[in-house]
Amino acid sequence: MSVQLGVSGFSGRPSIISNICSITLRRPALPPHNRISSEIYKPYPGRMDSMLAASLPSPGTLTLVRRPLPILGPRDVLLSVEATTLCGTDLRIVTGQKTHGVTPGVILGHEIAARVWKLGADLRPGIDAPTPGTQVGLAPEITCGHCVPCTAGRSNVCANMALFGTGVDGGLADVIRVPERALACITPSACEIAPPLLALAEPLSCCLRARTRLPITSTSRVLILGTGPIGLIHCALAAAAGASVMACGRPARLDPALALGASTVTAAHGDELVATVREWSGGAGADVVIIAVGDPGLVPIAARCTAIGGYISCFAGFPAGTLAQIDPNLIHYRELTISGSANATLEDYAAAVATLSTGALDLSPLITHEFPLTQVEAALDAVRSRVGLKVVVCPGRGKPTEC
């Protein structure tokens, strides 16, 4: 039997905004494998003195260690981690390619689904923090609330941001401590769903953030460049808005793009891609182009594929120090708008949790591989070799599975 947990009394964070992007989402019934019994996912029992954790002693070195449980302060919360999905950022941290903002010894993992285990002595259950037993997502962005970006409504680019999984211990562990300054990051799920699916609230929230800057409607033609998990989420969102979607990416990722809502797919690139887009759009070009892979060479191609008055979103992060060359006359004469998007606000994250937990958007096809925490290295190898789409690590599980 599925369980719904009452969380309406929790006032420690902004209210859920399920319609943040002003789109109409399809609401299919949750498939049976997304309905989770409360008998399967329980909080940890009261007595426990240590936990497993995947930490980074130094750049390029990941170590699975057993360490004492985090100390619970009077206004802290301990969460029992149920699932952490991996992304390319985790891989770049592990290989040493990304070091900025990474604290030595930090526990990795920022796409987190968990369950409230213990509250600090000064916290009131259901008021200051969700009641123990509540299934929650954890937004990774810990913001200051007083810098210029925060006060301007852009907390997603907070000047003093800390992140779970890079600067603060993250979700590749049995238990995670949420300090008082990050209590607003705890986001209750409206109803019980599969923890791997709830963990996808983090990448979904980033995509929702980008959507606030893109006028995608039922009459839009949307081109997605890149068919990794992020590109596929953008496909699903654009399709849910009723747009006509073309996805461009690796041949092996084109079928998943079709499954997630793309009406047309292609592995073309360069001049061939431009010609393919022109043919698809009746010569006009795409109204919106989303660059969902960090290849700076795609920026000038995106401009050539965009319709007059169209929008280009540089969604992906690009390698540090790289440059993109673009004909400024394309921007000038075609009146193009180019924007970026980074991270997400707490409101974006709440909208993502609501979207997933109510079944408004089904991203379960993205989850292809599941590993126990004891095999986190194998999970990262799966990400590195692109054997699937989203790889999930579940503490307390046994053998790895292919979903």
Side-chain angles (χ1 to χ4, degrees):
M1 178 179 67
S2 296
V3 177
Q4 290 193 356
L5 298 170
V7 297
S8 59
F10 172 48
S11 58
R13 58 156 300 107
S15 60
I16 289 178
I17 304 174
S18 59
N19 203 26
I20 190 168
C21 291
S22 299
I23 59 176
T24 301
L25 293 169
R26 301 187 184 108
R27 294 182 176 271
L30 285 176
H33 65 275
N34 286 343
R35 299 172 187 242
I36 300 302
S37 167
S38 62
E39 296 303 312
I40 298 176
Y41 293 101
K42 289 184 175 180
Y44 277 98
R47 294 185 60 83
M48 186 175 169
D49 57 8
S50 67
M51 67 176 189
L52 279 179
S55 66
L56 196 77
S58 60
T61 304
L62 184 71
T63 305
L64 188 65
V65 297
R66 182 162 290 280
R67 60 167 62 176
L69 285 178
I71 296 174
L72 179 65
R75 296 192 62 81
D76 297 341
V77 173
L78 292 185
L79 302 180
S80 165
V81 179
E82 295 188 329
T84 298
T85 46
L86 302 179
C87 79
T89 298
D90 299 307
L91 189 61
R92 290 193 294 274
I93 293 172
V94 169
T95 58
Q97 292 175 288
K98 175 178 171 60
T99 58
H100 179 72
V102 179
T103 300
V106 73
I107 298 171
L108 298 188
H110 63 279
E111 300 179 3
I112 303 165
R115 194 173 296 275
V116 178
W117 180 30
K118 291 183 177 181
L119 305 186
D122 292 348
L123 295 178
R124 296 166 295 176
I127 299 174
D128 301 317
T131 302
T134 303
Q135 187 184 46
V136 298
L138 185 66
E141 297 92 354
I142 306 173
T143 59
C144 71
H146 56 74
C147 66
V148 172
C150 281
T151 56
R154 296 180 182 271
S155 60
N156 56 303
V157 286
C158 170
N160 304 300
M161 183 181 292
L163 293 166
F164 285 106
T166 55
V168 179
D169 283 341
L172 288 179
D174 292 320
V175 175
I176 183 170
R177 181 182 74 92
V178 181
E180 179 181 4
R181 65 184 173 126
L183 291 183
C185 297
I186 302 174
T187 306
S189 176
C191 60
E192 295 277 327
I193 61 172
L197 189 60
L198 182 55
L200 294 181
E202 195 282 327
L204 175 58
S205 70
C206 296
C207 294
L208 287 175
R209 178 65 188 176
R211 282 294 310 279
T212 64
R213 309 187 70 183
L214 300 172
I216 297 177
T217 69
S218 60
T219 62
S220 299
R221 292 179 298 265
V222 179
L223 171 64
I224 312 291
L225 299 179
T227 49
I230 285 292
L232 294 175
I233 292 174
H234 278 298
C235 282
L237 283 173
S244 176
V245 181
M246 172 185 279
C248 174
R250 298 172 183 273
R253 297 280 179 86
L254 298 184
D255 283 344
L258 290 170
L260 282 159
S263 54
T264 305
V265 293
T266 180
H269 53 86
D271 292 341
E272 182 186 358
L273 174 59
V274 175
T276 300
V277 171
R278 293 293 174 187
E279 180 180 0
W280 166 66
S281 62
D287 301 302
V288 174
V289 179
I290 300 173
I291 303 174
V293 60
D295 178 359
L298 289 176
V299 177
I301 297 297
R304 294 171 61 195
C305 291
T306 307
I308 291 174
Y311 290 73
I312 300 170
S313 173
C314 294
F315 182 87
F318 298 89
T322 58
L323 298 175
Q325 290 187 326
I326 187 170
D327 181 355
N329 279 323
L330 282 175
I331 301 171
H332 174 68
Y333 287 110
R334 298 183 71 81
E335 296 188 337
L336 305 183
T337 299
I338 302 177
S339 66
S341 186
N343 304 320
T345 65
L346 291 179
E347 290 81 7
D348 299 324
Y349 188 82
V353 170
T355 298
L356 293 171
S357 63
T358 60
L361 196 69
D362 181 18
L363 296 181
S364 57
L366 289 177
I367 304 293
T368 56
H369 292 74
E370 182 177 311
F371 292 83
L373 181 57
T374 53
Q375 296 187 26
V376 65
E377 288 278 9
L380 286 163
D381 284 341
V383 177
R384 183 182 294 109
S385 59
R386 297 191 179 97
V387 296
L389 297 173
K390 286 300 280 189
V391 175
V392 60
V393 175
C394 296
R397 297 296 184 89
K399 298 178 180 179
T401 61
E402 208 169 306
C403 305

